[in-house]
Amino acid sequence: MNRRFWWAVLALTAGPYIGTLAWTGTIRGEEIFEEQREDLGAYRILLDRGSGSYYINMEEYLPGVVAMQMPVSYESEALRVQAIIARTYIRRQMEASGTFQSEAAVGETGVSQPEAAPAEGVSRPEPVREIAESALDLDYMEQEQLRRLWGTSEFPQYYQKLEQAVKSTEGMALTYEGSLIDPMFFRLSAGMTREGDFLHPYFQNVDCPEDMEADGFVELKTFSGDEAAAAVNSIPQGEAGPRQVSAGDLPDQTQIISRDQAGYVEEIQIGNYMYTGEEIQYAFGLSSSCFSLESYEGGVRFTVKGSGHGYGLSQNTANEKAKEGWTAEDILAYFYKNVLISE
């Protein structure tokens, strides 16, 4: 189970978290611009790009994150859900990095300085959490890029919609037993979300019948025998050593050994070797690990359901629930079990 989660986390972190470059409230090099002296809040991002470093308030950073994680055409409540998920992810990464200091510990260079003990009778300022953008492993898109993506006429209303999703959820994050959760999400389930392991007890099987009616629910991919063997043989060797199969092993000598309750492949045997469903998914570029395969025109054809790893929140179902009048809080409670929304 843990190995499956490492694959899922890899897919998630490689997925499209994007930031905006709203430069209001930043610190640049040794010069602090007069109009940028406003409080950056308790959470901030260090935009460590090029020759300079710039701070930005996390809340100002979030609209651009949400813009590239979820279609802006989605319902407002679905976008609010995504804003909370994105905030939870960033804050969780901040806590994992252990990077924080008081405001007094930040010099005019914008670089953390050694923090002196407060004078007797003087309280220590509230700690400020921060993280470098490069440590978040997130892609980003500037506002001007979003303007070009959406068009000049559509940009104002779309960006305002994103800003409202962020502002209306300001400070809200997901916790389980007092700790920030790993807020995994994906585009489209195979009809049900997947159950988590002991590190992710808040992931439970949740029915998503709306996903089975969505565009792109079923994917068909065909490979010749040689192409299929080459894809499998590109998978790194397993614990028992190298694993090499031949063209004739797919699909004639192939057997799905186990699936989880949501239908995703856990183990599959090809020839004499065992693989995880995620290993096959990534080797063949499948949209999910919920697949079956059959002989087709001398090669092999995969039938794949859903899009994404299947853990956490289905964005498509979240949007459909929002259309039915569900609030962001209702949707989050549906997908993440026994999780609280803290502020």
Side-chain angles (χ1 to χ4, degrees), residues 164-193:
Q164 181 58 33
V166 171
K167 289 179 180 178
S168 66
T169 63
E170 184 172 359
M172 298 170 68
L174 302 170
T175 63
Y176 178 82
E177 295 185 349
S179 298
L180 293 166
I181 72 166
D182 183 4
M184 294 170 67
F185 65 93
F186 56 95
R187 191 177 77 84
L188 193 65
S189 77
M192 175 186 291
T193 63

mmCIF file of all heavy atoms in Angstrom, residues 164-193:
data_model
loop_
_atom_site.group_PDB
_atom_site.id
_atom_site.type_symbol
_atom_site.label_atom_id
_atom_site.label_comp_id
_atom_site.label_asym_id
_atom_site.label_seq_id
_atom_site.Cartn_x
_atom_site.Cartn_y
_atom_site.Cartn_z
ATOM 1 N N GLN A 164 -12.161 35.748 -5.559
ATOM 2 C CA GLN A 164 -13.274 35.577 -4.634
ATOM 3 C C GLN A 164 -13.227 34.206 -3.975
ATOM 4 O O GLN A 164 -13.531 34.068 -2.782
ATOM 5 C CB GLN A 164 -14.597 35.772 -5.375
ATOM 6 C CG GLN A 164 -15.830 35.641 -4.491
ATOM 7 C CD GLN A 164 -15.838 36.619 -3.328
ATOM 8 O OE1 GLN A 164 -15.339 37.737 -3.456
ATOM 9 N NE2 GLN A 164 -16.399 36.200 -2.198
ATOM 10 N N ALA A 165 -12.868 33.175 -4.730
ATOM 11 C CA ALA A 165 -12.749 31.826 -4.159
ATOM 12 C C ALA A 165 -11.708 31.798 -3.059
ATOM 13 O O ALA A 165 -11.887 31.144 -2.027
ATOM 14 C CB ALA A 165 -12.391 30.823 -5.261
ATOM 15 N N VAL A 166 -10.609 32.528 -3.262
ATOM 16 C CA VAL A 166 -9.545 32.574 -2.258
ATOM 17 C C VAL A 166 -9.956 33.430 -1.063
ATOM 18 O O VAL A 166 -9.821 33.022 0.089
ATOM 19 C CB VAL A 166 -8.240 33.106 -2.892
ATOM 20 C CG1 VAL A 166 -7.185 33.360 -1.817
ATOM 21 C CG2 VAL A 166 -7.711 32.116 -3.918
ATOM 22 N N LYS A 167 -10.474 34.629 -1.324
ATOM 23 C CA LYS A 167 -10.829 35.532 -0.236
ATOM 24 C C LYS A 167 -11.933 34.962 0.653
ATOM 25 O O LYS A 167 -11.920 35.138 1.872
ATOM 26 C CB LYS A 167 -11.258 36.885 -0.805
ATOM 27 C CG LYS A 167 -10.114 37.687 -1.396
ATOM 28 C CD LYS A 167 -10.604 39.007 -1.973
ATOM 29 C CE LYS A 167 -9.463 39.802 -2.572
ATOM 30 N NZ LYS A 167 -9.918 41.086 -3.181
ATOM 31 N N SER A 168 -12.893 34.266 0.040
ATOM 32 C CA SER A 168 -14.007 33.726 0.819
ATOM 33 C C SER A 168 -13.604 32.525 1.664
ATOM 34 O O SER A 168 -14.380 32.084 2.521
ATOM 35 C CB SER A 168 -15.158 33.329 -0.118
ATOM 36 O OG SER A 168 -14.779 32.252 -0.958
ATOM 37 N N THR A 169 -12.417 31.992 1.427
ATOM 38 C CA THR A 169 -11.919 30.851 2.217
ATOM 39 C C THR A 169 -10.648 31.217 2.968
ATOM 40 O O THR A 169 -9.924 30.332 3.424
ATOM 41 C CB THR A 169 -11.624 29.650 1.309
ATOM 42 O OG1 THR A 169 -10.577 29.994 0.378
ATOM 43 C CG2 THR A 169 -12.858 29.212 0.548
ATOM 44 N N GLU A 170 -10.360 32.500 3.079
ATOM 45 C CA GLU A 170 -9.079 32.938 3.645
ATOM 46 C C GLU A 170 -8.768 32.241 4.968
ATOM 47 O O GLU A 170 -9.583 32.212 5.889
ATOM 48 C CB GLU A 170 -9.075 34.453 3.847
ATOM 49 C CG GLU A 170 -7.739 34.988 4.335
ATOM 50 C CD GLU A 170 -7.686 36.501 4.348
ATOM 51 O OE1 GLU A 170 -8.697 37.137 3.954
ATOM 52 O OE2 GLU A 170 -6.648 37.045 4.747
ATOM 53 N N GLY A 171 -7.575 31.675 5.035
ATOM 54 C CA GLY A 171 -7.123 31.009 6.251
ATOM 55 C C GLY A 171 -7.604 29.586 6.431
ATOM 56 O O GLY A 171 -7.130 28.879 7.326
ATOM 57 N N MET A 172 -8.534 29.133 5.638
ATOM 58 C CA MET A 172 -9.125 27.812 5.834
ATOM 59 C C MET A 172 -8.210 26.717 5.288
ATOM 60 O O MET A 172 -7.708 26.798 4.173
ATOM 61 C CB MET A 172 -10.493 27.741 5.154
ATOM 62 C CG MET A 172 -11.501 28.722 5.729
ATOM 63 S SD MET A 172 -13.035 28.866 4.748
ATOM 64 C CE MET A 172 -13.754 27.252 5.021
ATOM 65 N N ALA A 173 -7.992 25.681 6.119
ATOM 66 C CA ALA A 173 -7.155 24.548 5.730
ATOM 67 C C ALA A 173 -7.723 23.283 6.357
ATOM 68 O O ALA A 173 -8.506 23.329 7.319
ATOM 69 C CB ALA A 173 -5.707 24.764 6.175
ATOM 70 N N LEU A 174 -7.334 22.130 5.833
ATOM 71 C CA LEU A 174 -7.875 20.839 6.256
ATOM 72 C C LEU A 174 -6.935 20.154 7.237
ATOM 73 O O LEU A 174 -5.737 20.010 6.962
ATOM 74 C CB LEU A 174 -8.087 19.937 5.042
ATOM 75 C CG LEU A 174 -9.022 20.491 3.962
ATOM 76 C CD1 LEU A 174 -8.956 19.636 2.707
ATOM 77 C CD2 LEU A 174 -10.454 20.563 4.478
ATOM 78 N N THR A 175 -7.488 19.734 8.374
ATOM 79 C CA THR A 175 -6.679 19.044 9.382
ATOM 80 C C THR A 175 -7.332 17.734 9.803
ATOM 81 O O THR A 175 -8.558 17.583 9.759
ATOM 82 C CB THR A 175 -6.479 19.918 10.635
ATOM 83 O OG1 THR A 175 -7.761 20.169 11.252
ATOM 84 C CG2 THR A 175 -5.808 21.231 10.288
ATOM 85 N N TYR A 176 -6.494 16.804 10.210
ATOM 86 C CA TYR A 176 -6.949 15.524 10.756
ATOM 87 C C TYR A 176 -6.202 15.294 12.055
ATOM 88 O O TYR A 176 -4.974 15.261 12.076
ATOM 89 C CB TYR A 176 -6.668 14.383 9.779
ATOM 90 C CG TYR A 176 -7.071 13.018 10.290
ATOM 91 C CD1 TYR A 176 -8.395 12.587 10.205
ATOM 92 C CD2 TYR A 176 -6.141 12.161 10.870
ATOM 93 C CE1 TYR A 176 -8.777 11.339 10.671
ATOM 94 C CE2 TYR A 176 -6.510 10.908 11.335
ATOM 95 C CZ TYR A 176 -7.828 10.494 11.237
ATOM 96 O OH TYR A 176 -8.199 9.252 11.713
ATOM 97 N N GLU A 177 -6.944 15.202 13.144
ATOM 98 C CA GLU A 177 -6.375 15.043 14.481
ATOM 99 C C GLU A 177 -5.313 16.102 14.751
ATOM 100 O O GLU A 177 -4.236 15.830 15.295
ATOM 101 C CB GLU A 177 -5.811 13.639 14.658
ATOM 102 C CG GLU A 177 -6.892 12.561 14.604
ATOM 103 C CD GLU A 177 -6.366 11.158 14.899
ATOM 104 O OE1 GLU A 177 -5.118 10.989 14.938
ATOM 105 O OE2 GLU A 177 -7.194 10.248 15.086
ATOM 106 N N GLY A 178 -5.606 17.328 14.330
ATOM 107 C CA GLY A 178 -4.747 18.461 14.636
ATOM 108 C C GLY A 178 -3.618 18.715 13.665
ATOM 109 O O GLY A 178 -2.910 19.715 13.791
ATOM 110 N N SER A 179 -3.439 17.863 12.666
ATOM 111 C CA SER A 179 -2.362 18.032 11.694
ATOM 112 C C SER A 179 -2.934 18.264 10.304
ATOM 113 O O SER A 179 -3.982 17.715 9.951
ATOM 114 C CB SER A 179 -1.461 16.792 11.673
ATOM 115 O OG SER A 179 -0.844 16.589 12.935
ATOM 116 N N LEU A 180 -2.234 19.069 9.531
ATOM 117 C CA LEU A 180 -2.650 19.317 8.158
ATOM 118 C C LEU A 180 -2.578 18.025 7.347
ATOM 119 O O LEU A 180 -1.626 17.250 7.474
ATOM 120 C CB LEU A 180 -1.745 20.373 7.515
ATOM 121 C CG LEU A 180 -1.870 21.784 8.109
ATOM 122 C CD1 LEU A 180 -0.704 22.649 7.647
ATOM 123 C CD2 LEU A 180 -3.194 22.427 7.700
ATOM 124 N N ILE A 181 -3.581 17.796 6.528
ATOM 125 C CA ILE A 181 -3.631 16.553 5.772
ATOM 126 C C ILE A 181 -2.839 16.672 4.471
ATOM 127 O O ILE A 181 -2.427 17.754 4.062
ATOM 128 C CB ILE A 181 -5.077 16.129 5.451
ATOM 129 C CG1 ILE A 181 -5.697 17.060 4.375
ATOM 130 C CG2 ILE A 181 -5.939 16.104 6.698
ATOM 131 C CD1 ILE A 181 -6.966 16.516 3.759
ATOM 132 N N ASP A 182 -2.636 15.547 3.819
ATOM 133 C CA ASP A 182 -2.093 15.485 2.470
ATOM 134 C C ASP A 182 -3.297 15.595 1.525
ATOM 135 O O ASP A 182 -3.989 14.610 1.289
ATOM 136 C CB ASP A 182 -1.370 14.148 2.278
ATOM 137 C CG ASP A 182 -0.699 14.022 0.930
ATOM 138 O OD1 ASP A 182 -0.721 14.999 0.163
ATOM 139 O OD2 ASP A 182 -0.148 12.938 0.640
ATOM 140 N N PRO A 183 -3.585 16.780 0.997
ATOM 141 C CA PRO A 183 -4.870 17.019 0.310
ATOM 142 C C PRO A 183 -4.850 16.579 -1.153
ATOM 143 O O PRO A 183 -4.981 17.378 -2.074
ATOM 144 C CB PRO A 183 -5.036 18.525 0.427
ATOM 145 C CG PRO A 183 -3.617 19.034 0.324
ATOM 146 C CD PRO A 183 -2.763 17.996 1.016
ATOM 147 N N MET A 184 -4.745 15.292 -1.365
ATOM 148 C CA MET A 184 -4.642 14.778 -2.728
ATOM 149 C C MET A 184 -5.962 14.947 -3.479
ATOM 150 O O MET A 184 -7.039 14.888 -2.890
ATOM 151 C CB MET A 184 -4.193 13.321 -2.695
ATOM 152 C CG MET A 184 -2.776 13.160 -2.165
ATOM 153 S SD MET A 184 -2.308 11.437 -1.854
ATOM 154 C CE MET A 184 -2.283 10.813 -3.525
ATOM 155 N N PHE A 185 -5.834 15.150 -4.782
ATOM 156 C CA PHE A 185 -7.017 15.308 -5.629
ATOM 157 C C PHE A 185 -6.663 14.826 -7.029
ATOM 158 O O PHE A 185 -5.491 14.622 -7.369
ATOM 159 C CB PHE A 185 -7.482 16.761 -5.668
ATOM 160 C CG PHE A 185 -6.494 17.702 -6.314
ATOM 161 C CD1 PHE A 185 -6.574 18.003 -7.669
ATOM 162 C CD2 PHE A 185 -5.479 18.286 -5.571
ATOM 163 C CE1 PHE A 185 -5.668 18.862 -8.266
ATOM 164 C CE2 PHE A 185 -4.559 19.146 -6.160
ATOM 165 C CZ PHE A 185 -4.654 19.431 -7.512
ATOM 166 N N PHE A 186 -7.667 14.659 -7.855
ATOM 167 C CA PHE A 186 -7.460 14.181 -9.214
ATOM 168 C C PHE A 186 -8.659 14.629 -10.055
ATOM 169 O O PHE A 186 -9.647 15.141 -9.516
ATOM 170 C CB PHE A 186 -7.312 12.649 -9.237
ATOM 171 C CG PHE A 186 -8.481 11.940 -8.618
ATOM 172 C CD1 PHE A 186 -9.534 11.477 -9.401
ATOM 173 C CD2 PHE A 186 -8.560 11.763 -7.242
ATOM 174 C CE1 PHE A 186 -10.633 10.852 -8.833
ATOM 175 C CE2 PHE A 186 -9.653 11.138 -6.657
ATOM 176 C CZ PHE A 186 -10.697 10.678 -7.448
ATOM 177 N N ARG A 187 -8.596 14.401 -11.342
ATOM 178 C CA ARG A 187 -9.637 14.945 -12.221
ATOM 179 C C ARG A 187 -10.911 14.134 -12.217
ATOM 180 O O ARG A 187 -12.010 14.673 -12.110
ATOM 181 C CB ARG A 187 -9.112 15.053 -13.665
ATOM 182 C CG ARG A 187 -10.047 15.842 -14.567
ATOM 183 C CD ARG A 187 -9.486 16.003 -15.959
ATOM 184 N NE ARG A 187 -9.615 14.802 -16.768
ATOM 185 C CZ ARG A 187 -10.715 14.488 -17.454
ATOM 186 N NH1 ARG A 187 -11.799 15.255 -17.390
ATOM 187 N NH2 ARG A 187 -10.759 13.397 -18.193
ATOM 188 N N LEU A 188 -10.775 12.798 -12.313
ATOM 189 C CA LEU A 188 -11.944 11.969 -12.607
ATOM 190 C C LEU A 188 -11.713 10.567 -12.061
ATOM 191 O O LEU A 188 -10.708 9.939 -12.386
ATOM 192 C CB LEU A 188 -12.107 11.919 -14.129
ATOM 193 C CG LEU A 188 -13.384 11.393 -14.763
ATOM 194 C CD1 LEU A 188 -14.556 12.295 -14.429
ATOM 195 C CD2 LEU A 188 -13.185 11.318 -16.279
ATOM 196 N N SER A 189 -12.628 10.060 -11.233
ATOM 197 C CA SER A 189 -12.469 8.719 -10.681
ATOM 198 C C SER A 189 -12.970 7.662 -11.658
ATOM 199 O O SER A 189 -13.567 7.970 -12.687
ATOM 200 C CB SER A 189 -13.234 8.581 -9.356
ATOM 201 O OG SER A 189 -14.621 8.424 -9.610
ATOM 202 N N ALA A 190 -12.753 6.407 -11.293
ATOM 203 C CA ALA A 190 -13.282 5.290 -12.081
ATOM 204 C C ALA A 190 -14.678 4.901 -11.609
ATOM 205 O O ALA A 190 -15.171 3.824 -11.931
ATOM 206 C CB ALA A 190 -12.341 4.093 -11.978
ATOM 207 N N GLY A 191 -15.300 5.800 -10.833
ATOM 208 C CA GLY A 191 -16.629 5.549 -10.298
ATOM 209 C C GLY A 191 -16.657 5.553 -8.787
ATOM 210 O O GLY A 191 -17.720 5.650 -8.172
ATOM 211 N N MET A 192 -15.475 5.471 -8.175
ATOM 212 C CA MET A 192 -15.351 5.456 -6.719
ATOM 213 C C MET A 192 -13.928 5.874 -6.375
ATOM 214 O O MET A 192 -12.975 5.521 -7.070
ATOM 215 C CB MET A 192 -15.630 4.052 -6.168
ATOM 216 C CG MET A 192 -15.420 3.901 -4.671
ATOM 217 S SD MET A 192 -15.611 2.167 -4.120
ATOM 218 C CE MET A 192 -17.383 1.936 -4.367
ATOM 219 N N THR A 193 -13.761 6.660 -5.300
ATOM 220 C CA THR A 193 -12.416 7.015 -4.860
ATOM 221 C C THR A 193 -11.791 5.843 -4.107
ATOM 222 O O THR A 193 -12.469 4.904 -3.702
ATOM 223 C CB THR A 193 -12.436 8.258 -3.954
ATOM 224 O OG1 THR A 193 -13.186 7.967 -2.757
ATOM 225 C CG2 THR A 193 -13.054 9.446 -4.662
#
